[in-house]
Amino acid sequence: AQSVSQHNHHVILSEAASLELGCNYSYGGTVNLFWYVQYPGQHLQLLLKYFSGDPLVKGIKGFEAEFIKSKFSFNLRKPSVQWSDTAEYFCAVNAGAAGNKLTFGGGTRVLVKP
Amino acid sequence: GAGVSQSPSNKVTEKGKDVELRCDPISGHTALYWYRQSLGQGLEFLIYFQGNSAPDKSGLPSDRFSAERTGGSVSTLTIQRTQQEDSAVYLCASSPFSYDTEAFFGQGTRLTVV
């Protein structure tokens, strides 16, 4: 069965700092990978997704993620965070076939201090 | 609206009572998920419906939890004899049966068992 782990539960940083959130998954076959974000009081929304092609994926609000197949990783990055990036971030995976279940990691709470 | 709709948005119930939570997915989406989000616990998978296939109930925490999906559309999550540990936000998501798209989430139902 597929599983997802996020290494950091809480991250606190200052504005303009760089952010990197780790995500590792366990599944030996083809996978689809996602990062979702939940801003305070809002519903979960998609930041970016990877299905195939260029392993460096760019998403909304300046976020990007890199799929490294050999490391089973899909880390999220942003070079310079803003206070508005304060949110909870979730990595998710489904095995690479239509109709398969989406599995989430435990989430990382990010607090950006102004 | 075009999004996933959940009702009620908030529910306070007494311990031992039964509750029903409703999810209206996006029209045409064949996949429907229920997740539970507790403080500090991330997203806990509960159940997954995909078209006419048997649902994946592997995440239901006990036999007090059940869910059905009528006509391939609306879903109801039922919790019988509620306990205080059932207090959480219950999230519903839906997605099309296709390879390269993500799940769309509702705003959730905040359940408080007193």
Side-chain angles (χ1 to χ4, degrees):
Chain A
Q2 59 202 30
S3 66
V4 182
S5 63
Q6 294 182 236
H7 316 300
N8 312 98
H9 297 295
H10 292 90
V11 172
I12 301 174
L13 59 169
S14 300
E15 278 192 313
S18 63
L19 172 70
E20 180 160 0
L21 303 181
C23 172
N24 285 89
Y25 65 92
S26 64
Y27 184 76
T30 305
V31 290
N32 301 323
L33 298 156
F34 308 81
W35 275 98
Y36 282 81
V37 61
Q38 188 173 33
Y39 297 104
Q42 296 189 26
H43 66 280
L44 276 156
Q45 55 188 284
L46 185 73
L47 260 184
L48 48 79
K49 59 187 178 184
Y50 171 81
F51 293 107
S52 64
D54 189 344
L56 185 62
V57 179
K58 294 193 183 299
I60 61 171
K61 305 188 180 186
F63 284 90
E64 65 179 31
E66 185 175 12
F67 170 49
I68 303 179
K69 189 174 181 179
S70 61
K71 295 185 177 179
F72 298 90
S73 70
F74 190 56
N75 293 353
L76 181 71
R77 297 193 292 253
K78 184 169 183 178
S80 176
V81 295
Q82 301 173 314
W83 173 78
S84 58
D85 294 322
T86 293
E88 189 161 15
Y89 294 81
F90 294 91
C91 182
V93 62
N94 68 5
N100 286 335
K101 184 174 72 180
L102 190 61
T103 302
F104 282 84
T108 300
R109 289 182 180 269
V110 173
L111 173 62
V112 180
K113 297 192 285 187
Chain B
V4 177
S5 176
Q6 291 187 247
S7 59
S9 53
N10 282 284
K11 176 73 176 178
V12 180
T13 190
E14 292 181 352
K15 179 181 172 182
K17 294 283 179 73
D18 298 352
V19 295
E20 285 189 351
L21 312 180
R22 178 187 169 103
C23 173
D24 282 272
I26 293 172
S27 177
H29 282 191
T30 59
L32 187 147
Y33 303 83
W34 283 98
Y35 294 89
R36 179 167 69 176
Q37 188 174 25
S38 307
L39 194 61
Q41 297 297 315
L43 277 166
E44 178 187 4
F45 165 76
L46 297 177
I47 189 167
Y48 169 56
F49 296 90
Q50 177 56 269
N52 294 322
S53 302
D56 179 346
K57 303 180 182 180
S58 60
L60 294 178
S62 77
D63 59 7
R64 296 186 295 106
F65 288 73
S66 64
E68 62 178 23
R69 188 177 185 191
T70 54
S73 181
V74 172
S75 177
T76 302
L77 177 69
T78 301
I79 309 173
Q80 296 178 310
R81 305 181 302 281
T82 51
Q83 304 294 314
Q84 287 187 327
E85 60 264 28
D86 300 334
S87 296
V89 176
Y90 288 82
L91 294 172
C92 178
S94 71
S95 69
F97 186 87
S98 63
Y99 185 81
D100 60 352
T101 189
E102 71 273 20
F104 296 83
F105 281 82
Q107 290 276 35
T109 294
R110 181 176 297 278
L111 175 66
T112 305
V113 182
V114 298

